[in-house]
């Protein structure tokens, strides 16, 4: 437990984090990944190279420092972190590694004149407090998943039983457990963790479940990313009959029960979690507005499937927006999604539940547009596929 002096020190470091937090966390990651190779599989190296991971950690540390007196003000951030950790199987033994490297980074980046023994002691206590919170919450979630019907803890061997080309860039992969037993039913919007061995190196990735779980198998739909080690391996190397290790489903960006009209807005491969949400919503009488944006018709995945649902379910209205008129399929609009288009495609009453996913710039624009159209901010929900960032 932090004492009053330590809390004051943590809050006093907020200006330093605001101005130099990213430099600190960049140094932290470089140090940790060089000195502790056993934790490398837990981090996507593409996010390290782009700076997304250091920026996300800097923002998280800053938020924690700002709210050290009122941690409840962190809101959904803690839940997001816990679920990401559980999906990748972050364990208690990983926390001392992170803590020691973080304290060293603070001292080395800020210098001993600023990072005095009192400052280091305060941050050691603050990190210890946060680690205890996360470890406890993560253990509860691990236990829930282990005890649930079809659940498990750690890895479980699955076999690729089917793969389907969904567009020129996206392939769906269907996995069934090797043991033939039931699997944990995931909530619409959740993701699953994969553990793979690629060229002798362990890799872990999270992928959204792109279909409602039937208790027998899981489906993910993966876009081939330029230079993406895991996505290219899945597209080029993984064949039906191959096995790999899966972690239980996780994620708190899930479809909430409601009778309000549902608006699902996606860009590119951001469509994947909305598919399970759409399936779940159509099992009720809920009105659904499904809006998908793609670069062109060739890269638009699941169009025929959504069109088929719309033909069978009059409460579903679907709209497509293509950035360019190419790919051999017509769209409802050509160009980028705008507030004017959203105004046409949303229900007349703006008291809706909106969920949106896609590239960060796309989500930032959608967030502004929904706010401009009067959709209540607390009913406008989104999630990042990679490290979290500010959508401002």
């Amino acid at each position: 437990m932090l004492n009053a002096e330590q809390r004051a020190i943590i809050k006093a470091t907020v200006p330093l984090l605001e101005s130099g937090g990213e430099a600190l966390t960049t140094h932290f990651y470089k140090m940790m990944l060089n000195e502790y190779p056993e934790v490398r599989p837990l981090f996507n190296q593409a996010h390290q190279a782009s700076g997304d991971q250091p920026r996300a950690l800097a923002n998280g540390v800053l938020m924690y420092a700002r709210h050290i007196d009122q941690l409840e003000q962190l809101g959904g951030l803690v839940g997001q972190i816990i679920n990401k950790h559980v999906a990748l199987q972050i364990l208690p033994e990983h926390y001392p590694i992170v803590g020691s490297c973080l304290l060293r980074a603070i001292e080395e980046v800020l210098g001993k004149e600023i990072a005095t023994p009192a400052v280091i002691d305060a941050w050691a206590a603050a990190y210890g407090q946060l680690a205890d919170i996360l470890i406890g919450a993560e253990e509860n979630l691990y236990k829930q998943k282990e005890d649930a019907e079809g659940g498990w803890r750690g890895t479980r061997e699955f076999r690729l039983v089917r793969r389907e080309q969904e567009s020129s860039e996206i392939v769906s992969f269907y996995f069934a457990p090797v043991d033939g037993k039931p699997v944990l039913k995931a909530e619409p919007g959740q993701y699953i963790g994969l553990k793979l061995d690629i060229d002798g190196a362990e890799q872990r990735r999270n992928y959204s479940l792109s279909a409602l779980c039937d208790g027998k198998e899981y489906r993910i739909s993966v876009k081939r990313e330029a230079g993406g080690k895991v996505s290219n391996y899945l597209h080029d190397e993984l064949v039906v009959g191959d096995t790999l290790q899966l972690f239980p489903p996780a994620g708190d960006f899930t479809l909430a029960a409601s009778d309000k009209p549902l608006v699902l807005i996606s860009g590119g491969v951001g469509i994947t979690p909305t598919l399970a949400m759409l399936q779940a919503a159509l099992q009720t009488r809920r009105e659904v507005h499904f809006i998908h944006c793609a670069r062109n018709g060739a890269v638009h995945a699941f169009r025929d499937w959504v069109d088929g649902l719309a033909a069978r379910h009059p409460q579903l209205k679907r709209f497509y927006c293509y950035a360019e008129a190419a790919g051999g399929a017509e769209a409802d609009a050509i160009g980028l999604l705008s507030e004017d288009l959203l105004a046409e495609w949303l229900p007349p009453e703006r008291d809706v539940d909106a969920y949106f996913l896609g590239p960060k710039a796309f989500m930032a624009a959608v967030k502004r547009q929904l706010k401009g159209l009067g959709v209540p901010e607390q009913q406008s929900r989104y999630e990042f596929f990679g490290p979290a960032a500010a959508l401002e």
Side-chain angles (χ1 to χ4, degrees), residues 261-264 287-291 315-317 319 345-347:
L262 174 64
V263 178
L264 299 171
E287 179 184 347
V288 183
H289 290 238
F290 188 90
I291 300 167
Q315 75 268 37
L316 170 60
K317 298 177 175 59
F319 305 93
W345 295 345
L346 290 182

Side-chain angles (χ1 to χ4, degrees), residues 254-265:
T254 56
L255 183 64
S258 172
D259 58 2
K260 298 181 188 299
L262 174 64
V263 178
L264 299 171
I265 307 173

Side-chain angles (χ1 to χ4, degrees), residues 106-117 119-120:
I106 290 173
E107 189 171 33
E108 292 174 10
V109 172
L110 299 184
K112 292 188 176 181
E113 289 188 5
I114 297 175
T116 63
V119 168
I120 296 299

